Amino acid sequence: MRYLILSDIHANLDALQAVLHEADRLTYDRVLVLGDLVGYGAQPNEVIDEIRALDPLAIIRGNHDKVAAGIEGADGFNPIAQQAAEWTYKTLTPENRLYLSTRPLGPIFVDGDTEICHGSPGDEDAYITSELAALRALKQSERPVCFYGHTHVPVAFRLTDTGFEVVAGRSNGERQVTIERGMQYLINPGSVGQPRDGDPRAAFALFERDPRVVTLYRTPYPVERAQERIVEAGLPETLARRLALGR
Ligand code: ZN
């Protein structure tokens, strides 16, 4: 069994299609989605349709999904994110708005090894941006491998009997993490549709279950096309600009 792990797609269909094309080449069996299907990007309906067609084994909501679906206010968002959330709410078809609003709260236990959440296992809206926060999340997670999103930065942490360490990320390119018995892992696959680690390429991960190996991937996609769609939709131009910077 091989899981394809997608997070923070943010209505960027061009990035999602590039990732799915590459994932097809690499091969996978089932899909896990860590939330934030929409928000920021210009193709929320197309992205939701594509995800529904994949029939994910597990999918949870993200903070942008909650606001775009109208089940939570945009008070915690900055003005640009608020504007994008309002645009998304108006643009979503009733069917897709219903789909978004009924995605469950994480964490979800996918199998005996795997758990998924949006922010952290203890709080779907929390950002794991420090090693202290990562350590706390590792202690809250109930499976050997916990996948999370929300920060848009690919990274993997490991907790062993003797300590805590960063085992992958903070650099470009492919990174493999071998899941060893008796250790606990906290892994962010990065963002498909709005990377924030300075690398504009779309990010995703594959989890090979036997032997247990997680691989973090990056793949290029037509950024200019996604930028044009954002501008044409009348969304804030800064959302287009940041895609080229990976910030
Ligand atoms: Zn996000």
Side-chain angles (χ1 to χ4, degrees):
M1 178 65 90
R2 236 158 122 86
Y3 295 145
L4 166 62
I5 299 139
L6 305 175
S7 191
D8 297 279
I9 302 162
H10 285 291
N12 187 339
L13 184 68
D14 297 297
L16 177 60
Q17 286 177 333
V19 163
L20 293 177
H21 184 77
E22 181 63 3
D24 277 343
R25 194 184 66 79
L26 295 162
T27 75
Y28 63 93
D29 299 299
R30 298 303 305 269
V31 181
L32 311 180
V33 184
L34 315 185
D36 276 2
L37 274 65
V38 303
Y40 301 132
Q43 293 189 284
N45 286 306
E46 293 85 345
V47 162
I48 293 173
D49 291 343
E50 190 90 60
I51 291 297
R52 294 175 74 166
L54 293 171
D55 185 24
L57 177 64
I59 175 169
I60 50 173
R61 68 190 189 185
N63 53 320
H64 286 261
D65 301 330
K66 283 190 286 184
V67 176
I71 57 174
E72 195 175 283
D75 314 341
F77 281 7
N78 65 50
I80 285 167
Q82 273 185 19
Q83 211 178 317
E86 278 161 28
W87 179 90
T88 305
Y89 179 79
K90 282 186 283 182
T91 303
L92 284 174
T93 63
E95 194 191 344
N96 282 338
R97 201 181 296 139
L98 178 67
Y99 177 80
L100 264 195
S101 69
T102 50
R103 291 314 88 205
L105 158 77
I108 282 184
F109 305 121
V110 180
D111 57 36
D113 276 340
T114 320
E115 153 180 9
I116 62 171
C117 62
H118 184 65
S120 86
D123 178 352
E124 62 175 347
D125 295 329
Y127 288 92
I128 299 175
T129 50
S130 67
E131 293 193 1
L132 186 65
L135 183 58
R136 196 181 304 133
L138 275 162
K139 289 182 173 168
Q140 287 169 331
S141 74
E142 295 176 36
R143 292 289 183 275
V145 185
C146 176
F147 291 100
Y148 73 101
H150 200 35
T151 63
H152 300 205
V153 175
V155 62
F157 304 96
R158 178 165 71 184
L159 186 63
T160 68
D161 290 344
T162 51
F164 165 82
E165 58 193 333
V166 180
V167 285
R170 292 182 185 167
S171 59
N172 294 341
E174 185 179 310
R175 285 290 177 278
Q176 283 204 333
V177 181
T178 300
I179 307 299
E180 292 175 45
R181 299 270 159 216
M183 299 187 187
Q184 205 156 357
Y185 295 79
L186 179 70
I187 302 174
N188 190 326
S191 168
V192 172
Q194 198 198 75
R196 292 182 192 160
D197 60 346
D199 181 347
R201 294 176 300 168
F204 67 100
L206 288 176
F207 183 12
E208 169 61 55
R209 304 280 286 103
D210 188 22
R212 299 189 300 174
V213 178
V214 176
T215 309
L216 304 176
Y217 291 93
R218 301 307 283 259
T219 192
Y221 74 95
V223 173
E224 314 73 40
R225 214 187 295 161
Q227 290 179 308
E228 280 165 23
R229 294 188 211 277
I230 286 171
V231 174
E232 280 164 19
L235 285 159
E237 283 192 27
T238 161
L239 293 175
R241 275 197 301 273
R242 69 186 301 178
L243 291 182
L245 306 171
R247 290 283 176 205

